[in-house]
């Protein structure tokens, strides 16, 4: 048995001695993971009267929306109906105020060749529509540092106790009940105690180690990058005036990248800065140190090669340069909770509506039971690792619906504590009313194209 440098490993395991861990914070609610779902959960819980500690391993908030540079908010409109509101919409409004978000005006949310030419390179169209031109829809292109700024403001204004540079390591569980978590820090291990823990790590790091059942699968990973010095007018004119040549250049760029969506580069709110949601790479486990290390090296090799190619062959990219590469690998799927209800692909595709719906995506609904682990009390999950089959998660894991889940989980945690009940038994109707009163759409009122699900045998009440 050898390590990556060819040196034989002398041991396969070691014994870690027991240790005393100082308690550095205690609050009603502890949220682990400061990405979009985590910030939404922390802010929602605080706004509803709970004391909240938010833990984040990186030195910034925002997760894949900032460090991962996933720079388009989509899956938030059902035709002309905006379905993801609440805290997600607060982000949009605040980003627009500082000039770091772009969204098609209502009059442009339609289908025509002119509108496609105007908005396609922003990525603000219905990805699920077949044929061309695709309809322009309600979606938002934004700046990653703007996202960090808005996240900081929301957390600070809400009175959340934020602890960055805190990497979750172990759950604190007593008699099947969450009591807090332990984090690794530069100061050593630190314990943070709480009455409710919300796992927004993206990989159910907390829930899986606490004993909650889960499934595990994989999907593509992506290391996003941005190019500066792009002449968008020249590039788009080339695509519109010589589409055959443009298709050939784009096809070769995607071949070098080894995988990308149809639009491998998009415009951003910053002049001359292009967002490249690529390369897409399969066969890497997002929970494996070895795989993630290999993925980083492979992605950077492909990125460097494509930059050289487009500078030589793509009009408008002659002076392009590599501005930055995302600080976080874009991992789409790893561990998935097996909760009180497991959402299926049929649920998503048939737009199945649930009586205990607390969050919405494009045209699908998330029941509260999909945020509740089966075997661990006082624990909720929110985000891409929610309780769903791998096939369902692949079509329901975008940032806005994850934020809606986070807001629902934080609200439920605060209301359960206020009522003196476990989060498993919170009053769902009260959660739905509170979310509506605070500007969110919990999906309690199904849209006209929804399919009604039969009432569950046991709905949290």
């Amino acid at each position: 048995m050898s390590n990556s440098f060819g040196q034989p490993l002398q041991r396969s395991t070691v014994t870690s001695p027991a240790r005393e861990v100082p308690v550095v914070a205690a609050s009603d609610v502890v949220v682990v993971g400061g990405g979009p779902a985590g910030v939404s959960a922390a802010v929602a819980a605080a706004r509803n009267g709970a004391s909240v500690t938010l833990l984040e391993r990186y030195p910034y908030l925002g997760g894949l929306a900032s460090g991962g540079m996933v720079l388009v908010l989509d899956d938030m409109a059902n035709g002309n109906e905006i379905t993801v509101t609440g805290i997600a919409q607060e982000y949009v409004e605040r980003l627009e105020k500082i000039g770091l978000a772009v969204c098609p005006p209502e009059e442009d949310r339609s289908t025509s060749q002119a509108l496609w030419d105007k908005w396609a390179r922003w990525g603000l169209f219905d990805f699920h529509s077949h044929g061309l031109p695709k309809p322009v829809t309600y979606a938002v292109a934004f700046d990653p540092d703007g996202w960090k700024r808005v996240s900081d403001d929301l957390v600070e204004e809400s009175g959340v106790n934020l602890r960055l540079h805190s990497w979750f390591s172990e759950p604190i569980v007593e008699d099947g009940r969450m009591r807090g978590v332990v984090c690794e820090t530069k100061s050593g291990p630190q314990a943070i105690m709480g009455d409710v823990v919300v796992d927004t790590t993206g990989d159910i790091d907390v829930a899986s180690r606490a004993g909650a059942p889960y499934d595990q699968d994989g999907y593509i990973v992506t290391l996003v990058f941005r190019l500066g010095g792009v002449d968008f007018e020249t590039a788009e004119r080339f695509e519109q005036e010589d589409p055959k040549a443009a298709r050939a250049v784009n096809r070769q760029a995607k071949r070098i990248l080894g995988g990308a969506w149809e639009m491998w580069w998009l415009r951003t709110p910053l002049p001359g800065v292009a967002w490249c949601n690529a390369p897409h790479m399969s066969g890497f486990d997002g929970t494996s140190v070895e795989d993630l290390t290999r993925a980083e090296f492979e992605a950077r090799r492909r990125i460097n090669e494509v930059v050289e190619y487009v500078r030589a062959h793509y009009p408008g990219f002659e002076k392009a340069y590599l501005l930055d590469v995302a600080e976080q690998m874009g991992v789409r799927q790893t561990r998935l909770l097996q909760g009180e209800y497991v959402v299926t692909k049929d649920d998503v595709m048939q737009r199945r509506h649930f009586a205990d719906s607390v969050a919405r995506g494009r045209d699908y609904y998330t029941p509260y039971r999909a945020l509740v682990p089966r075997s661990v009390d006082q624990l909720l999950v929110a985000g891409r690792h929610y309780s769903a089959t791998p096939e369902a998660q692949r079509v329901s894991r975008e940032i806005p619906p994850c934020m809606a889940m986070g807001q629902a989980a934080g609200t439920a945690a605060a209301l359960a504590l206020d009522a003196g009940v476990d989060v498993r038994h919170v009053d769902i109707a009260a959660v739905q009313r509170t979310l509506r009163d605070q500007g969110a759409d919990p999906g309690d009122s199904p849209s006209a194209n929804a399919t009604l699900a039969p009432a569950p045998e046991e709905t949290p009440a």
Side-chain angles (χ1 to χ4, degrees):
M1 185 176 183
S2 300
N3 63 22
S4 61
F5 297 99
Q7 300 300 316
L9 297 177
Q10 302 301 318
R11 301 180 181 181
S12 58
T13 62
V14 296
T15 299
S16 178
R19 58 184 182 174
E20 289 190 353
V21 178
V23 175
V24 296
S27 56
D28 297 329
V29 178
V30 176
V31 180
V32 185
V39 171
S40 298
V43 170
R47 286 178 175 176
N48 283 286
S51 60
V52 181
T53 300
L54 174 60
L55 306 172
E56 169 54 45
R57 61 178 174 168
Y58 290 109
Y60 55 83
L61 294 171
L64 289 181
S66 57
M69 296 201 302
V70 181
L71 305 185
V72 171
L73 297 177
D74 57 4
D75 255 25
M76 53 197 309
N78 179 21
N80 292 324
E81 176 193 15
I82 298 175
T83 54
V84 182
T85 54
I87 291 173
Q89 283 299 324
E90 288 188 51
Y91 267 89
V92 175
E93 292 166 5
R94 291 179 182 229
L95 286 164
E96 286 179 330
K97 284 182 179 178
I98 57 177
L100 294 177
V102 174
C103 175
E106 188 172 358
E107 60 269 20
D108 279 5
R109 297 171 203 163
S110 185
T111 307
S112 74
Q113 187 62 48
L115 290 173
W116 172 259
D117 291 344
K118 180 178 180 180
W119 292 106
R121 277 298 177 187
W122 289 95
L124 307 179
F125 54 85
D126 185 355
F127 287 89
H128 303 275
S129 176
H130 300 290
L132 287 173
K134 295 182 184 293
V136 175
T137 189
Y138 180 75
V140 183
F142 64 92
D143 177 74
D145 285 290
W147 192 277
K148 293 177 185 177
R149 176 175 164 183
V150 171
S151 300
D152 290 349
D153 289 345
L154 286 170
V155 165
E156 189 172 35
E157 291 166 14
S158 301
V160 171
N161 174 28
L162 175 63
R163 300 183 68 86
L164 301 173
H165 303 279
S166 299
W167 192 296
F168 165 79
S169 62
E170 339 171 3
I172 302 171
V173 185
E174 297 176 0
D175 299 322
R177 195 176 183 89
M178 289 295 303
R179 298 294 186 184
V181 298
V182 175
C183 289
E184 295 297 334
T185 75
K186 287 288 188 178
S187 301
Q190 297 180 338
I192 298 89
M193 309 303 292
D195 297 314
V196 177
V197 174
V198 183
D199 182 345
T200 52
T201 59
D203 305 296
I204 55 168
D205 292 338
V206 181
S208 62
R209 297 181 199 181
Y214 64 91
D215 193 6
Q216 183 152 2
D217 208 328
Y219 193 30
I220 56 175
V221 299
T222 303
L223 190 61
V224 174
F225 63 101
R226 292 190 298 178
L227 298 176
V230 178
D231 182 342
F232 290 125
E233 290 186 5
T234 298
E236 293 186 62
R237 186 168 58 250
F238 166 61
E239 292 188 326
Q240 294 165 16
E241 294 179 354
D242 195 350
K244 183 178 180 180
R247 282 195 298 271
V249 173
N250 279 305
R251 187 164 51 247
Q252 179 59 20
K254 288 186 284 186
R255 191 173 291 131
I256 293 169
L257 290 167
W261 299 136
E262 179 183 357
M263 296 282 186
W264 70 270
W265 69 267
L266 295 174
R267 297 183 66 152
T268 76
L270 300 182
V273 175
W275 174 53
C276 306
N277 185 17
H280 292 172
M281 302 176 294
S282 60
F284 294 96
D285 178 356
T287 63
S288 163
V289 169
E290 294 83 1
D291 275 15
L292 289 172
T293 301
R294 288 192 299 111
E296 292 277 356
F297 273 70
E298 177 61 21
R300 290 174 186 276
R301 181 190 64 77
R302 298 182 191 184
I303 290 168
N304 291 333
E305 186 176 348
V306 83
V307 172
E308 292 182 10
Y309 173 77
V310 296
R311 282 173 60 97
H313 297 91
Y314 208 131
F317 283 78
E318 295 91 345
K319 297 180 180 179
Y321 56 90
L322 183 60
L323 177 64
D324 53 9
V325 177
E327 297 152 319
Q328 295 178 230
M329 180 69 67
V331 176
R332 286 165 170 78
Q333 184 181 98
T334 56
R335 307 184 194 98
L336 299 173
L337 181 72
Q338 296 288 287
E340 293 289 348
Y341 182 84
V342 180
V343 174
T344 67
K345 184 177 181 180
D346 189 61
D347 289 335
V348 177
M349 303 308 291
Q350 295 300 318
R351 308 178 182 94
R352 189 157 288 120
H353 176 267
F354 305 91
D356 63 330
S357 172
V358 291
R360 296 193 64 177
R362 176 182 66 257
D363 53 5
Y364 50 86
Y365 304 82
T366 304
Y368 182 70
R369 291 164 291 156
L371 310 183
V372 182
R374 295 175 187 169
S375 56
V376 184
D377 289 325
Q378 295 305 85
L379 175 63
L380 294 172
V381 307
R384 71 166 190 256
H385 55 205
Y386 82 112
S387 181
T389 64
E391 296 77 16
Q393 190 263 8
R394 290 176 189 177
V395 291
S396 62
R397 52 163 175 74
E398 301 295 337
I399 287 172
C402 288
M403 296 179 74
M405 290 183 219
Q407 186 169 358
T411 300
L415 294 188
L417 289 170
D418 189 56
V421 299
D422 286 357
V423 292
R424 190 181 305 278
H425 303 297
V426 70
D427 183 344
I428 297 300
V431 174
Q432 293 169 332
R433 284 194 305 271
T434 302
L435 287 167
R436 278 215 173 271
D437 289 345
Q438 296 176 358
D441 184 347
D444 52 333
S445 299
S447 297
N449 61 353
T451 300
L452 300 184
E457 294 182 8
E458 289 187 23
T459 300

